[in-house]
Amino acid sequence: MERIIMAHGSGGRLSHQLIKDVFQKHLGNEFLDQMNDATYIKGREKLAMTTDSFVVSPLFFRGGDIGKLAVCGTVNDLAVSGAKPLYLSLGVILEEGFPLSELEKIVLSIKETALQAGVQVVCGDTKVVERGSADKVFINTTGIGVVEDKRVGPSYIKPGDNILINGTIGDHGISILADREGLEFETPITSDCAPLNHLIEEFYHPGVRCMRDPTRGGIGTTLNELAQQAQVSILLEEEKLPLHPSVAGACGMLGLDPIYLANEGKVLVVVSPENTEEVLSLMKSHPLGKNAAIIGKVMAEEPGRVLLETPLGGKRIVGMLEGEHLPRIC
Ligand code: MG
């Protein structure tokens, strides 16, 4: 009998397979089949909707907590889909015995992050389960936004486009790991967890073809999704990937690949060659984009593939994340 394993929740290859073979197979429709970070739905205005559940452990980590994450994750999925995030729902599952003071800290963090992102929590639900039936707190948020005139999505990607990112990769993954394992670094590191909607407003230009937030599964998995959906290949340049020194150090020490580490405040942007410099400099002018870089380009040959060019000029194929290295990262 096949059973669920941790890798089904990794955001990598097995997560994709589970979604396709179980959820999409039985529930697929014109909306769900869009398979984007947020789905465009019908209304008097064009709307986008998304949902996400948060099971991060520990609840409080360097650079954030489950409340901040629950707002950012959903806001970012709307923002990268070209929508202006407006409303959130908040579903909370609490384990019996959880301290009220910690719940209040989480709620205050939700308040502060929602204010920063310019969204409102407009409905919610709370359930309590017996001690041992859940681990402290799980949160689900659903978000609704208005789609303005941004035309973004994998179908707009063309060979010759450049791939940009707004800063260092893997900061969230390594911060969570460091908190779990009690690691300390010479250069302190915090999660990059942040709402990206204002940054995106800052750099958006009609030359932007597609945006994705590389959360679970890292940029490696997200770029594979894009290469497959757009039927193009992507060539990444290893030495151009922005890396915080502590992430580089931790990856070397622990044998982790930063391209598969989770991010919670990063956006991958595919831009037409003519507009790349302009978008890059707009990105860099915002605090959340100061370490932005061009990390690769879109190619026509071998559609569906992601390749990484090493500093010595060798190339290797980058697949989706296999297995689950860091469970409960978000
Ligand atoms: Mg996403």
Side-chain angles (χ1 to χ4, degrees), residues 266-330:
K266 291 291 146 21
V267 54
L268 286 163
V269 186
V270 185
V271 195
S272 70
E274 315 80 78
N275 307 116
T276 298
E277 284 307 323
E278 185 180 351
V279 170
L280 181 66
S281 78
L282 289 169
M283 231 185 221
K284 285 185 165 177
S285 69
H286 190 279
L288 294 176
K290 58 180 194 296
N291 297 315
I294 304 170
I295 61 169
K297 59 175 179 253
V298 177
M299 324 260 276
E301 44 287 353
E302 295 189 84
R305 278 230 154 129
V306 178
L307 295 158
L308 182 82
E309 187 171 341
T310 66
L312 296 174
K315 282 183 198 154
R316 69 174 166 97
I317 295 173
V318 173
M320 283 193 177
L321 173 67
E322 292 287 342
E324 169 62 299
H325 309 146
L326 296 168
R328 294 184 60 186
I329 200 79
C330 59

Side-chain angles (χ1 to χ4, degrees), residues 175-190:
S175 298
I176 297 283
L177 188 69
D179 274 329
R180 279 187 201 161
E181 307 297 330
L183 306 176
E184 287 304 334
F185 299 108
E186 241 168 73
T187 326
I189 183 151
T190 57

Side-chain angles (χ1 to χ4, degrees), residues 220-253:
T221 301
T222 303
L223 290 173
N224 265 276
E225 286 171 19
L226 287 185
Q228 284 170 20
Q229 292 179 348
Q231 279 302 298
V232 294
S233 61
I234 289 171
L235 180 64
L236 287 176
E237 282 185 70
E238 192 171 24
E239 54 185 352
K240 299 226 173 123
L241 298 176
L243 273 186
H244 185 284
S246 301
V247 171
C251 284
M253 206 168 67

Side-chain angles (χ1 to χ4, degrees), residues 118-161:
V119 296
Q120 284 176 292
V121 175
V122 296
C123 60
D125 176 58
T126 309
K127 297 270 161 46
V128 180
V129 297
E130 301 91 335
R131 207 180 289 261
S133 294
D135 188 14
K136 302 182 187 79
V137 185
F138 296 150
I139 298 180
N140 173 276
T141 52
T142 290
I144 291 183
V146 175
V147 184
E148 291 158 328
D149 53 356
K150 298 190 184 77
R151 282 168 196 270
V152 286
S155 59
Y156 297 103
I157 298 176
K158 292 192 190 124
D161 290 349

Side-chain angles (χ1 to χ4, degrees), residues 60 64-71 103-116:
F60 300 91
D65 57 57
I66 192 171
K68 182 178 182 185
L69 205 56
V71 174
L103 177 62
E104 201 162 359
K105 258 166 82 179
I106 292 168
V107 171
L108 285 171
S109 169
I110 290 171
K111 177 183 175 180
E112 189 191 328
T113 315
L115 200 67
Q116 197 189 338

